[in-house]
């Protein structure tokens, strides 16, 4: 609440220095089991986003078939029976010809991949000023360590394949427990584009107008408990009750291949491999916060914890302190906190079950305040 003697001296000499101010943004997480119309409506919006990307997914599968040498597998209408669909190679063979294939696509794909592998690069953090050179070296080592830990050289081959066949690739960076190392550290995950969705009305090439995106997860029971157990025994019971309607179905399911699972993937359907469906959804929301500009310390923050009364009280105490110290009114006014209530956008992450139950919710934990 009060300025220190050091602060008073700094104001008197007109040499302000930066110092921490206020309460830092905190991560808000809850593990409350709740189902609501809001979450079901959100799932419907996500389903619409996923369905709108169907053409992209089908093009991706078709391009993959062409690359793998299945270039006559497109379905066409049978000229002899318009109600029937046949593959192109069947129609060509029926005419007494042999469907010849020259796989030019795979050669080009391998050439591009080989160029990338034969010219390895390392990411480097470049400092804006000479004074920060030591920090740039430290961050460069940290970044390269994180990529090495996640075997990024393997991931980027798959990312390039996605980019070539689908025109897009998706990845995410998170923080979690590495069981084989017995510690928490950074994870870099490549997201399968068949499980990815985002609002399709986005127009900005920088993707700043994305307001909703997410991923369809299929968890085993072990993974479900690992990611959504918060330390309370009631969590496991709640998970069993939430998925009780599909427990028998899960037990009867055989283990399918990844190709089979993706080929039969349905947004609202059961996981084809006998797993438990969870939707990870990130959405942009808006709230009222207090914009705070502390002129004495040269800091500005967006405070969602304290209201205007809190900063009015600080200003009153600060005015009394500066008056007793003998500063004039103009100097006092220049050192008070300027604040006002504004609307702020922020990102919220939710993990939903097919029944619209939220099993985990949190505000974005990232320093960049994005998804």
């Amino acid at each position: 609440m009060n300025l220190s003697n050091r602060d008073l001296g700094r104001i008197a000499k007109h040499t302000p220095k930066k110092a921490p101010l206020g309460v830092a943004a905190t991560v808000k997480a809850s593990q409350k089991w709740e189902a609501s119309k809001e979450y079901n409506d959100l799932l419907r919006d996500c389903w619409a986003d996923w369905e709108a990307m169907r053409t992209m997914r089908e093009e991706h599968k078709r391009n993959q078939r062409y690359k793998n040498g299945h270039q006559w597998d497109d379905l066409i209408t049978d000229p002899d029976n318009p109600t029937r669909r046949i593959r192109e190679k069947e129609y060509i063979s029926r005419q007494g010809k042999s469907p010849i294939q020259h796989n030019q696509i795979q050669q080009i794909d391998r050439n591009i991949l080989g160029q990338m592998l034969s010219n390895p690069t390392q990411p480097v953090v470049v400092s804006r000023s000479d004074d920060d050179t030591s920090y740039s070296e430290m961050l460069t080592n940290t970044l390269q360590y994180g990529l090495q830990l996640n075997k990024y050289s393997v991931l980027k081959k798959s990312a390039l394949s996605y980019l070539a066949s689908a025109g897009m690739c998706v990845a995410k960076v998170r923080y979690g427990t590495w069981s084989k190392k017995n510690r928490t550290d950074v994870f870099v995950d490549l997201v399968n584009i068949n499980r990815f969705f985002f609002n399709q009305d986005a127009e900005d090439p920088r993707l700043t107008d994305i307001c909703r995106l997410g991923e369809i997860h299929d968890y085993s029971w072990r993974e479900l408990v690992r990611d959504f157990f918060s330390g309370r025994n009631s969590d496991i019971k709640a998970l069993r009750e939430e998925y009780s309607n599909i427990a028998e179905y899960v037990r009867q399911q055989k283990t399918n291949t990844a190709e089979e699972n993706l080929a039969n993937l349905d947004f609202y359907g059961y996981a084809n491999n006998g797993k438990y469906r969870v939707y990870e959804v990130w959405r942009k929301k808006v709230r009222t916060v207090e914009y705070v500009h502390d002129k004495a310390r040269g800091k500005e923050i967006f405070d969602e914890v304290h209201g205007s009364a809190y900063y009015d009280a600080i200003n009153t105490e600060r005015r009394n302190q500066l008056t007793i110290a003998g500063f004039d009114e103009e100097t006092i006014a220049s050192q008070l906190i300027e604040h006002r209530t504004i609307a702020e956008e922020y990102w919220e992450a939710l993990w939903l079950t097919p029944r619209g139950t939220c099993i985990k919710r949190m505000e974005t934990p990232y320093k960049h305040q994005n998804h």
Side-chain angles (χ1 to χ4, degrees):
M1 296 286 286
N2 295 332
L3 294 173
S4 65
N5 291 333
R6 183 179 180 180
D7 289 327
L8 296 174
R10 187 167 65 244
I11 294 170
K13 295 178 181 178
H14 302 285
T15 56
K17 297 181 181 178
K18 294 184 178 181
L21 164 72
V23 180
T26 56
V27 176
K28 298 178 180 178
S30 67
Q31 199 77 14
K32 181 181 178 182
W33 307 104
E34 50 183 341
S36 68
K37 182 179 181 299
E38 175 192 1
Y39 295 143
N40 278 296
D41 291 343
L42 177 60
L43 275 182
R44 278 193 289 271
D45 292 337
C46 294
W47 169 82
D49 296 336
W50 190 76
E51 280 295 314
M53 298 176 67
R54 180 177 294 276
T55 302
M56 183 275 295
R57 293 194 298 272
E58 291 177 349
E59 284 294 316
H60 166 61
K61 293 177 182 177
R62 184 170 185 261
N63 292 338
Q64 286 290 92
R65 289 203 311 270
Y66 268 62
K67 187 188 75 170
N68 294 331
H70 305 290
Q71 289 141 13
W72 296 109
D73 280 0
D74 286 352
L75 292 173
I76 60 173
T77 302
D78 188 349
D80 300 330
N81 184 2
T83 62
R84 182 169 174 260
R85 303 270 288 174
I86 61 174
R87 300 194 182 278
E88 288 180 322
K89 61 183 179 182
E90 180 182 345
Y91 176 66
I92 295 174
S93 299
R94 187 189 298 176
Q95 298 177 6
K97 302 176 182 179
S98 176
I100 301 174
Q101 298 181 164
H102 296 286
N103 196 339
Q104 301 291 338
I105 299 176
Q106 192 174 74
Q107 296 177 20
I108 297 174
D109 185 75
R110 287 179 175 176
N111 183 34
I112 296 174
L113 183 60
Q115 290 289 334
M116 183 184 69
L117 296 178
S118 61
N119 295 278
T121 59
Q122 290 284 358
V124 177
V125 179
V126 181
S127 61
R128 291 179 176 268
S129 64
D130 294 337
D131 296 337
D132 295 331
T133 303
S134 59
Y135 293 110
S136 68
E137 293 176 356
M138 179 177 63
L139 290 174
T140 296
N141 291 333
T142 303
L143 178 58
Q144 293 180 0
Y145 156 77
L147 296 180
Q148 182 182 10
L149 176 65
N150 285 272
K151 298 182 179 179
Y152 180 66
S153 59
V154 177
L155 287 180
K156 65 181 181 181
K157 291 191 292 185
S158 298
L160 181 61
S161 178
Y162 273 133
L163 190 61
S165 61
M168 65 181 293
C169 57
V170 187
K172 62 181 179 182
V173 180
R174 60 186 177 89
Y175 199 73
T177 302
W178 285 80
S179 57
K180 62 181 180 181
K181 297 182 180 297
N182 201 28
R183 70 169 187 265
T184 54
D185 216 317
V186 63
F187 278 84
V188 180
D189 296 330
L190 191 65
V191 179
N192 191 303
I193 60 173
N194 293 285
R195 298 180 177 274
F196 178 71
F197 56 85
F198 66 96
N199 59 294
Q200 293 297 291
D201 57 347
E203 300 176 1
D204 192 340
R206 299 166 298 179
L207 306 181
T208 57
D209 52 354
I210 287 183
C211 62
R212 181 179 57 252
L213 76 164
E215 181 182 359
I216 303 172
H217 294 283
D218 289 333
Y219 289 111
S220 65
W221 177 254
R222 169 183 52 80
E223 295 168 331
L224 196 68
V225 172
R226 178 198 65 191
D227 288 357
F228 301 103
F229 176 69
S230 65
R232 301 174 304 188
N233 292 331
S234 58
D235 290 343
I236 297 179
K237 180 180 178 181
L239 282 173
R240 292 192 184 279
E241 292 176 352
E242 178 63 27
Y243 290 96
S244 59
N245 61 321
I246 66 168
E248 185 61 30
Y249 172 84
V250 169
R251 282 193 292 269
Q252 294 175 358
Q253 282 295 293
K254 65 182 181 69
T255 301
N256 298 331
T257 65
E259 185 178 3
E260 292 172 331
N261 293 332
L262 293 175
N264 300 313
L265 185 65
D266 180 65
F267 187 87
Y268 276 113
Y270 295 139
N272 295 312
N273 51 358
K275 294 186 177 181
Y276 301 85
R277 177 66 53 84
V278 178
Y279 307 93
E280 177 185 351
V281 183
W282 290 73
R283 62 175 176 176
K284 188 180 290 186
K285 300 185 70 177
V286 65
R287 63 185 172 197
T288 57
V289 298
E290 200 72 8
Y291 167 77
V292 182
H293 180 200
D294 190 340
K295 301 176 182 178
R297 296 189 173 116
K299 281 287 185 178
E300 64 176 0
I301 64 170
F302 297 91
D303 190 349
E304 70 273 17
V305 179
H306 302 105
S308 59
Y310 174 80
Y311 292 101
D312 287 338
I314 292 180
N315 278 338
T316 299
E317 186 66 27
R318 186 173 291 188
R319 176 179 289 275
N320 293 337
Q321 187 182 6
L322 292 170
T323 300
I324 294 173
F327 291 97
D328 56 36
E329 181 59 31
E330 182 178 355
T331 303
I332 293 175
S334 68
Q335 305 306 315
L336 297 180
I337 296 177
E338 175 190 342
H339 64 95
R340 63 181 183 275
T341 304
I342 63 171
E344 178 200 38
E345 289 183 333
Y346 70 99
W347 280 93
E348 179 185 58
L350 307 100
W351 283 260
L352 307 174
T353 70
R355 297 199 298 187
T357 300
C358 181
I359 57 177
K360 184 178 180 181
R361 184 180 70 245
M362 71 177 183
E363 185 180 329
T364 175
Y366 300 113
K367 186 71 173 178
H368 52 62
Q369 294 299 296
N370 213 320
H371 54 74

